Amino acid sequence: MVPISTLHYLIVAAALFVLGVVGVLTRRNLVVILMSIELILNAVNLNLVAFSRMWGNLHGQVFSIFITADAAAEAAAGLGILIAFFRNKETVNVDEIDLLKW
Amino acid sequence: MKVISLTEYKLMLPMLELVIFALGILLIDLIIPRDWKWLNAVGAFVGLFFAAVCVWQIQATLPGGAVGFSGALLVDHFAVFFWYLFLAAAGITVLMSERYLDLEDEHSGEYYALLLLSVVGMMCMAAGIDVVLIFIGLELMAISTYVLVGFLRRERRSNEAAIKYFLLGAFSSGIFAYGLSIFYGLAGSTNLQEIHRSILAQNPRHPVIVIALLTTMTGLFFKIAAVPFHQWAPDAYEGAPTSISGFMSVAVKAAAWAMLLRILIFALFPLRSVYVPIVVFVAIATMTLANFAALSQTNTKRLLAYSSIAHVGYMLLAFVAMGTSEPGSPAFSDGFKGILIYLLVYTFMNLGAFAVITSLRQRQVIGDELEDMAGLYHRAPVEAVLMLLFLLSLAGIPPAAGFLGKYYIFLSLVESRHYGLAALGVIYSLLGLYYYLKIANAMLIRESKETKPLFVSIGMRCAVGVTALATIVIGIYPEPFIQGVSRSLPTWAKPTAPTLRQ
C-alpha cells in the first residue's frame, strides 16, 4: 500500500483542472459551463490544501477559504446575469449568443 | 498574538471609506424618491473625493513604502500612483453617468455602489503583495464590473455582453488562481517577496515552474485583453453602458496592468528568460490583430475597444524592453515609466473620447454608430474639437499627451536595442491614425441628418473639459508627472520595505 503523498493530491487536482477547462471549451450549455468553472476553482482549492499540509502552514488553507467564498459570489452574480439574459432571449445555449460580433 | 496597529488601518482608510460610501449609497437609494436619484451620484463623487484626500494624507507621510497587515499590503509610490489614477477615472465616470442612466431609464443606486466597490478591488490589486489580497481584489473588481456591464437589463446587447464577459472572466480567474496555487506550493508562502526569494533559488525551466508561469500569465493576459485572449473586450465594450465601457477601458485595464507588473516584475523577475519570448509574440500578435480589426469597424465603441487592445500591444513592447535589460539600466526605467505614463495619459484621453460618445446618447438615438458621429461639428462644436484632440492624442500626435507615452515606449525599445520591434510599433501607430481619422472625418466633414444642436449635460461638460485639460497639460508640461512616475520604480532590491510601524 503506497502512502498518499502530496503528489497524489496534485495529480487529482490537475485532472480536475483539465476536466474543468475542457468542459468550458466544449460544452454548449451556459449552466454546465458555470459548473466547469467551479471544477477549476475546486482544483485550485485541492492544490492549496495539499500544499498547505506539505509546508505545515496555514496560508494555503486561508487562501482556499477565500476562494470558496469567491466561487459563491461569482456563482450568485453569474446566475443573476444568466437570468437577466434568459428573460430576454429564452435560451441557455452559447451558440445562440450571437448578437455581438466583429 | 500580533496586534494590528492604528497606522496599518490608516493605510487602508481610503478603501474602508469607499466601502462605507458604497454601502451608504445602497441604503440611501431605498429611501430617496425617483426624482432625487442624482443624490446617489453626488454621494459617490463625495466618497471618491474623501478617498483621494486620504490617499493624499498617506502620500504626505510615506517614506519609501509602508507594509501593513502581516505583509499583505504594500503602500508605496507605485500603489499611490495607481490609487490616484483609479479615483480620477471613477470620478470622471460618475460625472458621465448621471444623465446617461436617466436616458436609459435605469435609476438604481447599485450602479454607483458597484462602481465604488470595483475601485476598492482595484486598490487592493495595486497595493497587494500577497496573492490572496491580489486575487480577492481582482475578483471584487471583476464581479462588480460583470454586473455593471449587464446593467441595462432590458437591453439585449447589454445582457449578452455581460454573459460573455462573465464566462470568460470567471474562466480566466480560475486559471490564474491555479497558477497562483502552484507558486504557493513552490514557495510555501503566499507573499510575493517570499515567492521571489524562492524562485531565485530554482531552475527557471523546471516544468512545474513553467506550468505555473503559463497559467498565471494566461490569467493576466485575459485581464489586460491581449491577443489571443482579447475576444471578450470588443463584445463587452460594445454591449456595456457607454460610461462603463469607458471606465473598463481605462481603470479596469490599469488595475490589470498594476497586477501584471506586481507579479511579473516584482515577484517573478527571475523567470524573465522564460516569459519574455512569450510576451514578444503576444505583443506582435496584439498590435497586428487589433489594428487590422479596428480598420473595418463601424461601431465607435467597438472601434475604440480594438484601439484599446492595440494600446495594450504598445505597452507590452515596453514590457519586453524591461524584461530584456538589467534593473536600474536606462532601458528598464524608461520602459517602466513608459507603461505608467501611458496608462495615466490613456486614462484621460480614452475616457474623454468615451465621454463624447456617451453624450451622443439622446432620447431616440443610441448614438454608438459611426453614422451618429456625422456632422457633430455643426451640432456641438466644442465637443467635436475636443474629440479631435482625444483622437490625435490616441494616435500619438504631439503636443497631445499620447505622444509622451509612445515616446517613452519607443525610447526604451531603442535603448534595449530592439530596433525591429520599435519600427513595427511606429508602423502600427501610423496605421492607427487611419481609423482615428475616420471618426474625425465623419465628425468634421460629413453632413448629418440631424441638425438640431446636441444637448450636453453639465456633468458631461465637466467630464469632457477635465479630460481635455489633462490631455493638454500632460502633453505640454509633463515634468511633474514624469517625476511622480519615476519615484514608483520597483524597489525590490531591498528585500523588505521600511514600515510605518513604530
Side-chain angles (χ1 to χ4, degrees), chain B residues 302-321:
Chain B
R302 213 172 172 80
L303 195 157
L304 284 181
Y306 278 110
S307 114
S308 92
I309 299 173
H311 287 288
V312 167
Y314 304 137
M315 285 186 265
L316 282 174
L317 286 183
F319 188 82
V320 171

Side-chain angles (χ1 to χ4, degrees), chain B residues 69-85:
Chain B
F69 297 93
S70 316
L73 192 74
L74 169 65
V75 181
D76 51 4
H77 289 290
F78 178 83
V80 167
F81 168 82
F82 276 101
W83 285 6
Y84 278 130
L85 199 154

Side-chain angles (χ1 to χ4, degrees), chain A residues 55 57 70 74 88 97 99-100, chain B residues 139 159-160 181 184-185 188:
Chain A
W55 285 100
N57 64 29
D70 162 62
E74 216 164 52
N88 275 340
I97 310 181
L99 212 56
L100 301 164
Chain B
E139 287 301 296
N159 297 151
E160 192 177 315
S181 76
Y184 164 65

Side-chain angles (χ1 to χ4, degrees), chain B residues 98 130 361 366 399:
Chain B
E98 210 282 316
D130 193 290
R361 173 80 169 106
I366 296 177

Side-chain angles (χ1 to χ4, degrees), chain B residues 185-209:
Chain B
L186 290 168
S189 167
T190 48
N191 192 296
L192 286 184
Q193 285 168 335
E194 297 287 330
I195 293 176
H196 175 74
R197 234 169 283 159
S198 78
I199 296 286
L200 267 178
Q202 288 169 24
N203 170 18
R205 297 197 183 272
H206 190 279
V208 175
I209 293 188

Side-chain angles (χ1 to χ4, degrees), chain B residues 453-497:
Chain B
L454 191 74
F455 174 79
V456 184
S457 69
I458 298 169
M460 188 66 77
R461 276 178 203 275
C462 291
V464 177
V466 168
T467 46
L469 192 70
T471 310
I472 297 173
V473 168
I474 300 177
I476 292 177
Y477 184 56
E479 223 27 66
F481 299 95
I482 293 172
Q483 270 170 11
V485 164
S486 321
R487 274 189 308 180
S488 49
L489 276 166
T491 51
W492 78 109
K494 300 173 263 176
T496 45

